[in-house]
Amino acid sequence: MGAAMCKLSKKVGQHVRKKSTGTGCRYACHAACRNKVSLDCHPVSQDRLNNNNNTPAPLHDVEKEREQRREFSTEEIRQKIEAYNSMTKDHLKMTLGSHGEYTGFIKVLMDLRRPVTVRGGHKGATVAEEAFYLPQEVNMILHISSNHTARQVVGALLGKFKVVDNPAKYALYKRCRREEQVYVCKLAEAECPLYLRLLAGPDQDSLSLVLREQQTGEVMWDAFSIPELRNFLLILDKEEQEQKDALIRRYTLYRKRLEEAIRQHRV
């Protein structure tokens, strides 16, 4: 048995070693099968293969990253603001201050998927709080300075809606479009959104800002209060009942159509 297995493995090894590899598409086959294989491929030069395997990043992207790490002088900031204001079409322009600080407007897309807790009116001696969904795909416009950080922008946005949730539950993201691809990246709390807006220009495809929940991979229930958790349960119960009602309506209609088809068939 051992000798037979040894001969078999040697035969297989010889069969595998006798193979042919295409120069263009790198298709590998046995030498004995080469004449039976037909491929619709074209030869590719070695230089092209090397370039495909080691494609450098686009030059403009590299230069843009270097520019974002630079410290600009007041004169450079002034030139960039003038260029920015000449390109903007919605009158949301920037203004340079006397000490190098500048102010301007940013648009932030509200993309919150979970309900928020909002401070409402007074009920007796206490302030009423209510949880509901904020409208999605709504752009909020903020007037900020070049010193405002992403964390401060998050706080300002929540304050506009009187949201009392912990601001740490939310984060500001930047979204860029490059060559038909969309990239989303979370901003560090110390980053300055107006500075990024100035570098990218007014085009929203080059850079847009989005407010979202923190992407932690799982919900941190300890960060919510008891009233918030109860509101979540009420919302889940409502959504569950809506799904059940939709299923009942769907299958009730299906039953009626089946019964009608049976009656027509009998007639």
Side-chain angles (χ1 to χ4, degrees):
M1 183 69 178
M5 289 296 295
C6 183
K7 290 180 181 179
L8 179 61
S9 62
K10 184 181 294 185
K11 185 177 181 180
V12 172
Q14 293 173 352
H15 188 58
V16 170
R17 284 195 295 271
K18 294 179 181 179
K19 65 180 181 179
S20 176
T21 304
T23 58
C25 59
R26 314 305 296 172
Y27 180 84
C29 67
H30 301 117
C33 305
R34 181 174 183 176
N35 295 331
K36 301 178 181 179
V37 177
S38 177
L39 297 174
D40 185 18
C41 61
H42 305 281
V44 181
S45 64
Q46 189 63 34
D47 292 339
R48 186 174 175 185
L49 289 174
N50 292 338
N51 289 337
N52 288 339
N53 293 333
N54 302 292
T55 303
L59 180 61
H60 68 276
D61 289 344
V62 175
E63 294 299 329
K64 189 173 182 180
E65 293 298 327
R66 289 177 181 171
E67 187 180 41
Q68 289 182 359
R69 293 192 293 266
R70 281 187 53 192
E71 289 289 339
F72 294 104
S73 65
T74 303
E75 179 60 24
E76 290 174 319
I77 292 292
R78 184 186 64 79
Q79 294 175 1
K80 288 185 176 295
I81 290 178
E82 290 179 355
Y84 180 95
N85 291 339
S86 65
M87 292 185 292
T88 185
K89 298 178 181 180
D90 50 12
H91 305 291
L92 301 180
K93 298 185 177 182
M94 296 190 186
T95 304
L96 180 63
S98 58
H99 300 289
E101 179 184 353
Y102 52 96
T103 59
F105 298 87
I106 60 171
K107 290 182 180 180
V108 181
L109 181 67
M110 307 296 290
D111 189 21
L112 302 181
R113 305 304 175 93
R114 296 195 291 267
V116 298
T117 304
V118 177
R119 181 182 294 108
H122 291 267
K123 287 186 177 181
T126 61
V127 178
E129 295 183 355
E130 184 179 359
F132 64 92
Y133 290 95
L134 288 180
Q136 293 184 5
E137 304 300 324
V138 174
N139 279 305
M140 295 295 298
I141 298 178
L142 288 179
H143 185 260
I144 62 174
S145 75
S146 55
N147 293 330
H148 283 106
T149 63
R151 174 49 51 194
Q152 291 173 323
V153 169
V154 171
L157 288 170
L158 297 179
K160 274 183 170 288
F161 289 98
K162 298 182 179 180
V163 177
V164 297
D165 294 334
N166 188 349
K169 299 177 184 177
Y170 309 94
L172 200 63
Y173 291 80
K174 61 179 179 180
R175 183 165 59 190
C176 309
R177 183 184 297 274
R178 297 178 186 172
E179 299 178 357
E180 303 303 324
Q181 295 291 330
V182 178
Y183 302 88
V184 179
C185 178
K186 177 184 172 182
L187 294 183
E189 292 188 358
E191 283 193 82
C192 299
L194 191 61
Y195 176 73
L196 298 178
R197 180 81 277 164
L198 177 62
L199 293 183
D203 185 12
Q204 293 295 315
D205 284 339
S206 299
L207 173 71
S208 59
L209 300 173
V210 185
L211 180 68
R212 290 182 174 177
E213 291 91 353
Q214 290 272 18
Q215 296 179 356
T216 57
E218 61 180 17
V219 180
M220 301 176 64
W221 298 110
D222 294 340
F224 295 92
S225 64
I226 296 299
E228 288 176 327
L229 295 175
R230 288 174 178 168
N231 283 326
F232 291 160
L233 289 176
L234 292 175
I235 293 173
L236 290 175
D237 289 340
K238 181 180 178 181
E239 292 178 349
E240 182 182 8
Q241 187 61 44
E242 290 175 352
Q243 292 291 333
K244 289 170 61 176
D245 293 341
L247 285 173
I248 292 173
R249 289 194 299 269
R250 175 184 174 185
Y251 285 102
T252 300
L253 179 61
Y254 188 54
R255 175 186 290 273
K256 290 181 179 179
R257 290 178 178 177
L258 281 177
E259 292 175 348
E260 182 179 354
I262 291 174
R263 286 195 300 268
Q264 293 178 354
H265 181 73
R266 288 176 177 175
V267 172

